[in-house]
Structures are given as structure tokens and as C-alpha cells.
Amino acid sequence: MTSSSAVFSALAPYGWDEAWAKEFAPYDTEGLLAGRVLRVDRGQCDVVTAGGTLRADTAFVTPHDPMRVVCTGDWVAVEPGGNPRYVRAYLPRRTAFVRSTSSKRSEGQILAANVDHAIVAVSLAVELDLGRVERFLALAWESGAQPVVVLTKADLVPDPVTLAHLVEDVETTAPGVPVLTVSAQAGEGLDVLVSLVGSGTSVLLGQSGAGKSTLANALLGEDVMEVQAARDVDGKGRHTTTTRNLLALPGGGVLIDTPGLRGVGLFDAESGVGQVFTEIEELAEGCRFSDCGHESEPGCAVRRAVEAGELPVRRLESYRKLMRENQWIVAKTDARLRAEIKKDWKKRGAEGKAAMEAKRGRWR
């Protein structure tokens, strides 16, 4: 059995600490090995242990529930030998980055576990999609990680005034979230990011073409990730990362690089959405009705703020969209909630119809 000090020495660069050692203690008495999952593919995973990196089968851990499968970032208990060698269990996750699957059952799919910082990479080579930024941030907040927005390819916006306006737009979209501008190619703006990810585990998220692989290589100090040239027409490239990979950073900390995400579906992320739209949540406290939908209800403080120019219409529309989507995803697995939503929709429809009839009456 590997000594406790040897385990700490080997696994500390990957985030091992006293709390993890305490969680692992029951498995240690069984002679199992402690390790962290570096990557998962086709039912097997690479696990870094005190004795080195080994390959293990994940079939022993509930294989049919996408929320309970072994994923990159998990701390696991692995058999010391055997052919095949199996992961016997994973330790309780401190945080988990989850999105909705594309299946009709709308199950959750876990992308990464035990993440401290969620780095949302957004390319400045194309027009900003603030709605997509809000979607990524909602998932990040819901995971329990601290989001960070990194505006990549800043060298493609040479005008400092234009760059300042873009940063301001994103900061308004991401209240309470650090917004950094970097040019990984030119090595500019990386110091703050390196310092931020220097402790804990960070996951790198974003669309294909956002410059994630280039950013990862800059943080790692070497060309570990393959980089594909982006198309001039839309700034997008092919997915250069095909699996989620966990790598120790030379200056401390751990980075999980992910493939470009084509779809970012919410999965039970109401709290995360609320944190992205904190100003709307605060305004809603002044609404006449506690269940105000901020649409046609009288005494709505949120719509009043929009009419006064204090809240952008785009923000309210984005908030409504994400809340409706999240509510529907949750309802798919909750028959009672689904019935309540349909009843609420009918009620709102009747109220809207009555309001229109009243208006027509005044016009006659």
C-alpha cells in the first residue's frame, strides 16, 4: 500500500487535500488506489495515481445514468490490479458542471466534476452573442464554480475604444463575474488569468473557434492541444479537442479542456439563471405579485424598469427564455410540475385575452 505522504506528494498537483484523503479513507482500508480521472472515453478512463497513470474500466460504477457515470475531474477508488482493472467508486463531488442531453427524456449530462473556476472563452473575432454568454454563465453558476469570462483574440480589435465598449457589454451581461481580455497568440493579458487559475481546478468552456486550445496551450506553456485555423467567414474551426482532458498547470492549479459545445441546454439551473440576472431578480421583489411573469401583470416592477430605460429589453427577453426552457426541462421529469405549468399557461392566456378584449372595448 502506498504511504499517505507519497499519495499527497504525487496527487497534490492535481488537487488532493486533507478533505479528499478523509473521504477516501474507507477505500484505503480496502487496499484500493486513490486517483483523479484525467479523461474518459468509450467506457474507460485514464487515472493519475501515486504510482503513475493507469487505464481503468468504468462499468462497475452505474453505467446507465448519465449523472452517475465517471467523468473527467472525479476522484476515484481504483483496483490495484486486475485485467481489466475497474474503478470501484467515485468520491462525492464538490461541484458538477451539468447540461441537458439532446434526448427526449431530457436527462442531465455531467461534463466535469470538482471544478472551482469555469472559464467561458468568447472570441472577439466574431460578433458577440450575449445570449449564449448568459447561457454558459447560468450553467457555470449552477455547478457551484466561480465563472470567469475570457474574451479571446483581443489582438483582432486594435481600437481601444471599441474594445472597451465590448468589455462593457459583457460586464453588463455578467454581473459579479470577472471579464478578462487576452491574446494568447501575442501573449497579452494572460498574467491575471494565470494567477486566477493557479489554485484549484478550472474548466475551459466555449464554442468551437473560441480559441480554447490556443488559450490552453498558453496556460500550459507548451503546445499540448492541437490548434486548427479558424475560417475567415465566421471565425469558427473544426473541434480540435474531442474529449475532456485534465492537465496540471506548470504554475499550479489544474485545467480541464473541453470540446467546443454546439448545444448548451439548461438542466435544473434556476438558481444559476437567477445569478446571471441578479438585477431582474432584485427588481422582481418590488412586483405586486410574488409569481409575476413580468409580461402583462399589473404592478410589475421589472416591466416598469424596462419602460423607464433602466433595464434593457434584451436582458428581460433572455431571462424569460432561459427560465421557460429550464422550467420545461424540469417539468419533463416531474408530472405534477408539468400539470401546474400547463394550468399557469392557460391562466396567463386567459388574462391576456381578457386584457385585449378590454382594450377593444375602450377603442369602440
Side-chain angles (χ1 to χ4, degrees):
M1 185 182 298
T2 307
S3 69
S4 177
S5 60
V7 171
F8 263 89
S9 178
L11 297 183
Y14 294 90
W16 187 256
D17 56 27
E18 292 286 354
W20 286 123
K22 185 176 180 180
E23 290 280 3
F24 187 78
Y27 302 106
D28 188 36
T29 61
E30 296 178 27
L32 298 176
L33 303 176
R36 194 167 195 192
V37 177
L38 302 178
R39 59 178 285 164
V40 179
D41 59 273
R42 299 180 181 179
Q44 293 193 316
C45 61
D46 293 334
V47 182
V48 60
T49 69
T53 300
L54 52 82
R55 190 77 167 163
D57 196 301
T58 66
F60 191 87
V61 181
T62 315
H64 302 300
D65 183 345
M67 290 289 285
R68 298 177 63 188
V69 297
V70 171
C71 75
T72 303
D74 270 329
W75 285 101
V76 294
V78 188
E79 294 175 345
N83 187 20
R85 186 195 305 261
Y86 286 97
V87 172
R88 296 296 298 276
Y90 60 80
L91 302 185
R93 293 161 176 157
R94 293 178 182 174
T95 62
F97 196 94
V98 180
R99 70 168 174 176
S100 175
T101 65
S102 57
S103 70
K104 292 182 179 179
R105 288 180 294 177
S106 298
E107 299 168 318
Q109 177 191 21
I110 185 163
L111 300 179
N114 303 310
V115 173
D116 301 292
H117 305 287
I119 303 171
V120 180
V122 180
S123 173
L124 289 175
V126 294
E127 185 177 355
L128 285 176
D129 185 344
L130 298 178
R132 182 164 289 272
V133 173
E134 288 161 343
R135 182 176 291 273
F136 271 113
L137 291 175
L139 294 179
W141 279 122
E142 191 67 32
S143 76
Q146 165 66 53
V148 182
V149 176
V150 175
L151 302 179
T152 65
K153 307 180 184 182
D155 54 299
L156 299 181
V157 188
D159 178 28
V161 175
T162 301
L163 182 60
H165 282 311
L166 292 172
V167 172
E168 184 179 0
D169 286 343
V170 177
E171 287 177 336
T172 302
T173 301
V177 176
V179 178
L180 310 177
T181 57
V182 305
S183 170
Q185 290 278 17
E188 298 174 355
L190 289 170
D191 292 350
V192 176
L193 183 59
V194 169
S195 175
L196 190 147
V197 303
S199 62
T201 298
S202 301
V203 63
L204 191 52
L205 307 161
Q207 289 183 284
S208 181
K212 297 189 307 300
S213 294
T214 302
L215 186 59
N217 286 335
L219 292 172
L220 290 162
E222 55 182 320
D223 292 340
V224 174
M225 301 298 174
E226 180 187 356
V227 178
Q228 198 93 33
R231 298 192 298 257
D232 290 336
V233 64
D234 57 10
K236 296 180 180 179
R238 294 207 308 270
H239 295 294
T240 53
T241 303
T242 57
T243 59
R244 287 171 279 280
N245 302 281
L246 185 148
L247 302 152
L249 297 171
V254 176
L255 180 70
I256 298 176
D257 191 24
T258 67
L261 298 176
R262 292 186 181 91
V264 193
L266 300 184
F267 183 78
D268 199 5
E270 182 175 351
S271 174
V273 174
Q275 285 183 273
V276 175
F277 298 91
T278 53
E279 79 278 34
I280 294 179
E281 296 273 296
E282 290 171 0
L283 285 167
E285 293 178 3
C287 291
R288 183 182 301 175
F289 303 109
S290 59
D291 61 346
C292 184
H294 319 309
E295 293 180 358
S296 59
E297 300 88 345
C300 176
V302 174
R303 284 191 299 107
R304 192 160 56 241
V306 171
E307 292 164 3
E310 299 167 0
L311 176 69
V313 174
R314 190 206 65 79
R315 284 283 281 174
L316 178 56
E317 290 176 346
S318 183
Y319 173 78
R320 286 172 177 161
K321 178 181 178 181
L322 293 183
M323 289 296 281
R324 281 197 300 266
E325 176 185 329
N326 185 74
Q327 194 176 37
W328 182 244
I329 289 294
V330 174
K332 281 188 175 183
T333 57
D334 188 329
R336 181 186 58 79
L337 179 60
R338 185 163 59 247
E340 288 180 357
I341 290 174
K342 287 183 177 179
K343 181 179 178 181
D344 185 57
W345 284 352
K346 287 182 179 179
K347 178 184 174 184
R348 292 185 188 282
E351 289 175 347
K353 185 177 180 180
M356 286 302 298
E357 289 296 332
K359 285 183 179 179
R360 289 194 186 102
R362 290 197 302 269
W363 292 338
R364 290 182 185 133

